[in-house]
Amino acid sequence: MVEKFKIKKFKLKRPKRPDDRKMYFICAVIFLALAAIFLTWFLEYRYFINSFSRTWSFAIGSPAPFFFNALLMWLLLLLLWGIFEKPGTAAGVMWVVITLTTYAHINKFNSRGFPLLPEDFQLASEASSLTKFVTGESIARLVGAIVLIIALTIFFNRKIAKKVFLNYKNPSPSFSKKHFLATRVAIILIAGLSFFFATDFVRHNDGSRYEDIFLGTHFTAWNQNRNYDDNGFILGFLYNLQKLQLAKPDEYSESKITELKAEYDSRAEEANKNRISAADEDVSIVVILNESLFDPSVEYQGLKFEDFYPHTGGDVLPNLHRIMREYPSGYMYTLDYGGGTANIEFETFTGFTNYWVNTVPYTALIPKAGDIPSIAQYYKKYGYETVAIHPYNGGMYKRNIALKNEGFDTFIDEHDMKHQDHDGNSQYINDRAAYQETLDVLKKSDKNQVVGLITMQNHTPYNADIYEETEFAVTNEDIEEGKRSDISIYYQSMHNSDAYLGEFIDGLEELDKKVVVLFFGDHSAGLFDKTNNNDTKEIRDLSRVTPYFVYANFDANFSTSYLPTTTPNCMANTMFNILNWKKDSYYYLLDEVCTAEPILTATWLEGRELTNAEVLRDYELLTYDILGGKKYWMK
């Protein structure tokens, strides 16, 4: 019998290697640290509008802010790692977020000259309307970039992550799974809390005009461009988070506001004895905010705008200039450059200021504030009809809510307008249609009315295909050709708008109804880098003043033909004064405010202390009371 031999099988054992889990965590932390540096660089590169030199200057010239931004980026990546488990996915998600965020920033900066701020995200509900302000080509590039990032992330996770110990597979036993999940939760908590505490010093700054709060880094409350430039996008963005909360002044109390109310009620009662009533005179009031209307021929503080932007074609605004010669007129110092319409609108209608609020009241404060004092609310007490007209989406900046709370009982937006004319290939309803709608409202009722019109014709973008021909061309060849083309389209839009203004005034002259008009341009377009970015403040101011006038289609016996340069919060009060009209009590507080600080905005003051601190403090208390407090003034 042949004995069978059993052959023992031998298996080759892998060499012993470090614990997979430990290696995974070490490699993940290192990988995310490197990713944080890359993504911080990418974020700053996009913030500086794809400028390598400016990004390099920031990273090398300001290493402390750059690497602190990178540290914060690393903490955010750790948090995403805990959520998504895979380090590659965490980096990919953050890359997509940065791409989307900086796309919004670039479009805002190109049109307005200001970086993306936290309050801009309050407009997310109007995203469909905002897409009209960007080109299809840029959206296609954005989608392509996101698809590429997603593809790279998938490739990394499948082909590379395993080779560099970044594709750790969770063990099968249930205890190990729970232990691994607990580790991920711990990472999320540690990263989140670390980010929260590491940024507390910048999120809760004291709001000083100038502030050194991080390794000698200089924050400037009134200049967000400088904050982002000097401190990086993340720190600049976090610094502005405080603006979403309305700070309560130390002296705010019911007794203080009640005392103020009694004082100014008494002043109003006495002063109004010597004034006439617009209601008794049967005068209707029209307030016109003309979108992006700016005077290219402006001369201010001894300087001429046309010295920087000479152009062909003659006078861009001949009708406006004729009206300004015949009626009280002046220049408004705008709150913003290239944008900020809702804030300017808010100040004009209400008489309150955004100086301390420093956010977008229409989206952040007024919707939850309820009824607030305004020119519309005041005249409703005298039986006036109140109508607001805006030839665009009524939900933009939550106007459908804000204007109602300001006392406008009827709101006509683009969907309700009978007149829908456009100029050329412009996407916006033109000013001729807006003015005709206003005339129809005035003719429709025998009652006195307050009508607020916010136009849209001159709004960005200024695409080359809007007009077949333009009459105006900038001749300064130091300006790039694309920007000169945009300015040419912008000037043509304003020239057409000026013609429609002339038609509107002619229509009012024929109207069998007394009407007073407060008209102003809200800001210039964000096209004038040579002035707006100049080192000299007086030159920067040239692109920040816009025309305004007060017109009447009857003999209104104006007390002056000169209107002071002022901010929007003072303009309605200025109109009341030159007409010698009775007015609400808080406008008597505005008399003192507008004398002490006729221009109340950070870009004008640039850190200078306010004059007449007592009356400005009362004004701050009243502003807080109405927008963020208990509204004791209205009780």
Side-chain angles (χ1 to χ4, degrees):
M1 185 175 180
V2 179
E3 188 177 355
K4 294 181 179 178
F5 293 94
K6 292 182 179 179
I7 301 174
K8 190 175 182 180
K9 294 181 179 179
F10 292 94
K11 292 184 178 179
L12 291 173
K13 293 184 179 180
R14 291 183 180 179
K16 219 172 182 183
R17 68 180 194 178
D19 177 60
D20 284 351
R21 191 164 179 272
K22 182 178 180 181
M23 181 62 72
Y24 165 72
F25 279 105
I26 292 173
C27 291
V29 169
I30 294 173
F31 167 78
L32 292 176
L34 295 174
I37 294 173
F38 165 75
L39 290 173
T40 303
W41 175 278
F42 178 74
L43 174 60
E44 298 304 327
Y45 174 75
R46 293 284 290 167
Y47 165 72
F48 287 117
I49 320 295
N50 304 328
S51 171
F52 180 88
S53 60
R54 294 187 68 188
T55 308
W56 177 263
S57 296
F58 171 66
I60 301 302
S62 305
F66 177 82
F67 281 104
F68 192 79
N69 276 271
L71 172 63
L72 297 178
M73 181 72 74
W74 180 64
L75 292 174
L76 291 174
L77 287 172
L78 289 178
L79 190 148
L80 291 175
W81 174 37
I83 295 172
F84 293 105
E85 187 174 349
K86 294 182 178 181
T89 302
V93 168
M94 180 58 73
W95 199 353
V96 169
V97 170
I98 291 172
T99 300
L100 288 168
T101 301
T102 53
Y103 174 79
H105 158 74
I106 289 172
N107 279 281
K108 180 187 176 183
F109 193 90
N110 285 339
S111 65
R112 294 182 54 185
F114 288 100
L116 190 71
L117 298 170
E119 56 262 37
D120 293 322
F121 287 91
Q122 293 172 329
L123 297 178
S125 59
E126 286 95 44
S128 60
S129 298
L130 294 171
T131 57
K132 295 182 180 181
F133 300 152
V134 298
T135 64
E137 181 183 351
S138 68
I139 293 177
R141 288 199 302 268
L142 173 67
V143 172
I146 292 173
V147 170
L148 178 60
I149 293 169
I150 292 172
L152 289 173
T153 301
I154 294 172
F155 176 80
F156 179 87
N157 284 336
R158 290 182 177 177
K159 302 296 183 181
I160 300 176
K162 188 174 181 180
K163 297 179 181 178
V164 291
F165 301 100
L166 292 176
N167 197 17
Y168 176 72
K169 288 191 176 179
N170 194 10
S172 57
S174 59
F175 177 80
S176 297
K177 284 184 178 181
K178 290 179 181 178
H179 182 68
F180 192 71
L181 179 61
T183 303
R184 289 172 58 193
V185 172
I187 291 171
I188 292 171
L189 290 175
I190 292 171
L193 290 173
S194 297
F195 185 91
F196 180 79
F197 288 113
T199 59
D200 180 74
F201 72 98
V202 68
R203 288 183 292 106
H204 295 97
N205 58 84
D206 64 12
S208 300
R209 313 308 289 159
Y210 297 95
E211 198 169 358
D212 295 327
I213 59 176
F214 170 70
L215 299 179
T217 300
H218 204 57
F219 285 85
T220 309
W222 51 268
N223 191 332
Q224 297 315 314
N225 288 44
R226 184 177 299 176
N227 280 342
Y228 280 66
D229 287 357
D230 294 348
N231 309 312
F233 187 93
I234 296 176
L235 287 178
F237 189 87
L238 291 172
Y239 178 87
N240 283 278
L241 280 175
Q242 187 162 288
K243 293 165 58 177
L244 299 181
Q245 304 175 14
L246 195 55
K248 180 180 178 181
D250 293 336
E251 298 178 39
Y252 180 70
S253 68
E254 182 176 6
S255 60
K256 178 64 177 176
I257 299 299
T258 302
E259 179 186 333
L260 278 178
K261 182 70 163 58
E263 177 185 350
Y264 286 100
D265 279 350
S266 176
R267 292 193 191 187
E269 183 179 2
E270 186 62 30
N272 281 341
K273 291 177 182 178
N274 301 314
R275 289 172 171 257
I276 62 175
S277 168
D280 291 342
E281 296 291 316
D282 287 328
V283 180
S284 291
I285 303 164
V286 178
V287 180
I288 300 174
L289 181 157
N290 192 286
E291 170 65 44
S292 299
L293 188 89
F294 170 73
D295 186 357
S297 67
V298 64
E299 297 183 21
Y300 188 59
Q301 300 177 119
L303 297 170
K304 295 181 179 181
F305 184 81
E306 287 184 338
D307 287 344
F308 299 88
Y309 289 90
H311 65 84
T312 63
D315 192 354
V316 177
L317 305 170
N319 288 291
L320 174 72
H321 293 148
R322 173 181 56 81
I323 297 166
M324 292 179 73
R325 287 192 297 268
E326 296 175 1
Y327 294 91
S329 62
Y331 285 94
M332 181 193 81
Y333 194 96
T334 186
L335 307 180
D336 222 333
Y337 162 76
T341 296
N343 292 345
I344 297 161
E345 181 182 330
F346 153 74
E347 288 202 1
T348 306
F349 286 146
T350 67
F352 294 111
T353 179
N354 203 43
Y355 179 76
W356 294 287
V357 177
N358 204 19
T359 185
V360 183
Y362 269 27
T363 57
L365 302 173
I366 294 180
K368 58 188 177 185
D371 290 349
I372 64 173
S374 73
I375 187 172
Q377 294 282 20
Y378 176 67
Y379 280 101
K380 278 172 67 173
K381 294 186 296 186
Y382 298 98
Y384 275 60
E385 293 180 347
T386 55
V387 182
I389 304 170
H390 180 50
Y392 198 62
N393 184 340
M396 191 71 170
Y397 288 108
K398 298 184 179 178
R399 280 191 176 94
N400 53 343
I401 302 172
L403 289 169
K404 180 180 179 181
N405 288 353
E406 287 177 3
F408 289 98
D409 292 333
T410 302
F411 180 33
I412 301 171
D413 69 2
E414 63 179 342
H415 302 295
D416 306 314
M417 289 179 64
K418 173 184 175 183
H419 304 277
Q420 297 276 334
D421 299 336
H422 293 243
D423 275 10
N425 294 317
S426 173
Q427 61 183 282
Y428 305 118
I429 295 173
N430 67 18
D431 285 358
R432 172 179 278 160
Y435 290 140
Q436 189 58 56
E437 200 78 28
T438 304
L439 287 170
D440 286 356
V441 167
L442 292 169
K443 293 174 182 177
K444 189 183 298 183
S445 176
D446 293 331
K447 288 187 176 182
N448 295 331
Q449 296 166 299
V450 173
V451 180
L453 170 63
I454 306 101
T455 73
M456 275 299 286
Q457 172 171 318
N458 300 318
H459 200 289
T460 185
Y462 308 104
N463 299 330
D465 64 347
I466 292 178
Y467 302 108
E468 292 184 5
E469 295 181 0
T470 59
E471 301 174 44
F472 309 95
V474 173
T475 57
N476 187 340
E477 294 187 359
D478 291 340
I479 303 166
E480 63 183 49
E481 185 177 350
K483 187 62 69 70
R484 279 186 283 150
S485 172
D486 289 349
I487 295 172
S488 176
I489 298 298
Y490 173 50
Y491 282 6
Q492 188 65 51
S493 178
M494 288 197 297
H495 186 66
N496 291 4
S497 173
D498 177 79
Y500 305 147
L501 173 62
E503 294 173 3
F504 177 61
I505 297 298
D506 290 342
L508 290 176
E509 291 289 341
E510 298 173 2
L511 193 66
D512 186 22
K513 191 173 192 175
K514 289 183 179 179
V515 179
V516 164
V517 174
L518 170 61
F519 174 98
F520 63 98
D522 64 333
H523 57 75
S524 69
L527 300 173
F528 304 115
D529 298 345
K530 289 179 71 64
T531 50
N532 185 64
N533 297 340
N534 200 282
D535 292 334
T536 303
K537 180 184 181 301
E538 289 74 15
I539 295 175
R540 292 198 300 274
D541 289 341
L542 281 172
S543 53
R544 294 176 179 272
V545 289
T546 62
Y548 79 112
F549 65 76
V550 177
Y551 157 87
N553 66 351
F554 61 98
D555 185 5
N557 195 26
F558 293 113
S559 63
T560 182
S561 61
Y562 166 77
L563 300 181
T565 302
T566 190
T567 31
N569 62 310
C570 294
M571 287 199 303
N573 189 53
T574 299
M575 176 182 69
F576 294 149
N577 287 341
I578 66 170
L579 288 161
N580 196 34
W581 280 355
K582 293 180 180 180
K583 55 187 185 178
D584 210 351
S585 52
Y586 77 94
Y587 282 104
Y588 287 97
L589 170 61
L590 273 178
D591 281 338
E592 297 183 35
V593 169
C594 299
T595 299
E597 292 292 352
I599 303 177
L600 185 56
T601 186
T603 51
W604 167 263
L605 295 167
E606 293 197 344
R608 174 177 66 77
E609 293 297 324
L610 297 174
T611 58
N612 197 338
E614 185 176 350
V615 70
L616 270 297
R617 187 165 57 250
D618 290 346
Y619 190 34
E620 180 183 8
L621 288 170
L622 176 57
T623 301
Y624 174 80
D625 179 58
I626 297 300
L627 297 179
K630 302 294 186 179
K631 296 203 289 188
Y632 299 125
W633 183 276
M634 299 181 69
K635 292 180 179 178

